[in-house]
Amino acid sequence: MTYDRIGQLLLTPVDPEAPARVRRLHQLGIGDRAVPAFDTFADRLAEVTGAPYSMVNFIDENRQFFAGLHTPAGTHSGTDLGTVAATSRIGRFLARDHGYCPHVVARRKALVLEDVCDYPRFAGNPVVDEIGIRSYMGAPVIDRTDILLGTVCVVDTEPRQWGRAGLETIKAMAAELAELIRRREDGSVHP
């Protein structure tokens, strides 16, 4: 567990790589605006996993940004996870202390939560009550320079049995996105 200087438990892990990540995202020209290719990638991620919501998520020191987003309604204007999301204007931004992607970033490895309520540390996350998330699966996106840029993730408002196949799928999709980002940087794929 991670504690702050005063000894209080931190539910969101410390992220010492954030400054380097922000510099790299800026260098790549991603991480602060929606990218149609990332929306398309999120659509495919949802299709492959059978999840109603999927994201390409880049994280800085203070927030998360969904550069790619898929929702059941097919809109990309917000997360639209339930009624609360529709009224709270969550949009493509989410506070760094909300959700589970910051844990993936800190761990530098995939995280599968078939029912977030089974884990006290994760059940208390604001996205459970505010948005209704009950299941999460995410994997880190690590670029060719070994900088962890963010995550690809899927969520559901119902518990899901992702299993070993789901874990392998999310990891393969993260590697595929890292390759897409490399090709964009090399100029072989246009934004």
Side-chain angles (χ1 to χ4, degrees), residues 65-84:
F65 178 71
F66 305 131
L69 178 64
H70 171 85
T71 68
T75 64
H76 301 292
S77 61
T79 58
D80 91 348
L81 293 173
T83 306
V84 173

Side-chain angles (χ1 to χ4, degrees), residues 140-160:
V141 176
I142 301 172
D143 84 344
R144 63 181 181 80
T145 66
D146 199 40
I147 300 279
L148 194 152
L149 302 175
T151 67
V152 294
C153 68
V154 294
V155 298
D156 201 337
T157 56
E158 301 292 329
R160 292 282 301 262

Side-chain angles (χ1 to χ4, degrees), residues 4-186:
D4 68 8
R5 289 177 287 151
I6 303 171
Q8 295 177 324
L9 177 65
L10 295 175
L11 295 179
T12 303
V14 175
D15 183 8
E17 294 183 33
R21 177 180 319 107
V22 171
R23 284 190 302 274
R24 182 69 175 140
L25 289 169
H26 181 71
Q27 180 182 35
L28 293 168
I30 58 176
D32 60 356
R33 62 183 169 81
V35 175
F38 294 162
D39 281 337
T40 301
F41 187 91
D43 291 342
R44 197 162 68 75
L45 178 60
E47 182 181 328
V48 168
T49 61
Y53 306 93
S54 63
M55 288 75 85
V56 171
N57 187 9
F58 298 119
I59 303 171
D60 66 22
E61 294 101 330
N62 303 307
R63 67 180 186 183
Q64 303 174 66
F65 178 71
F66 305 131
L69 178 64
H70 171 85
T71 68
T75 64
H76 301 292
S77 61
T79 58
D80 91 348
L81 293 173
T83 306
V84 173
T87 60
S88 66
R89 300 177 191 256
I90 290 171
R92 287 188 182 256
F93 295 95
L94 192 62
R96 190 177 167 279
D97 64 348
H98 283 51
Y100 309 105
C101 289
H103 296 275
V104 171
V105 168
R107 296 160 38 111
R108 289 185 68 93
K109 64 183 194 177
L111 176 64
V112 177
L113 302 169
E114 293 181 338
D115 185 344
V116 299
C117 294
D118 288 344
Y119 306 90
R121 178 178 191 163
F122 298 120
N125 195 286
V127 297
V128 175
D129 292 333
E130 292 176 18
I131 303 174
I133 291 176
R134 286 291 305 272
S135 185
Y136 170 89
M137 182 169 58
V141 176
I142 301 172
D143 84 344
R144 63 181 181 80
T145 66
D146 199 40
I147 300 279
L148 194 152
L149 302 175
T151 67
V152 294
C153 68
V154 294
V155 298
D156 201 337
T157 56
E158 301 292 329
R160 292 282 301 262
Q161 298 297 312
W162 302 109
R164 185 66 149 163
L167 174 63
E168 295 307 318
T169 298
I170 199 78
K171 288 165 56 176
M173 294 296 287
E176 186 177 318
L177 183 64
E179 177 61 19
L180 174 63
I181 291 168
R182 184 197 63 75
R183 290 192 333 252
R184 284 172 50 99
E185 182 180 23
D186 290 346

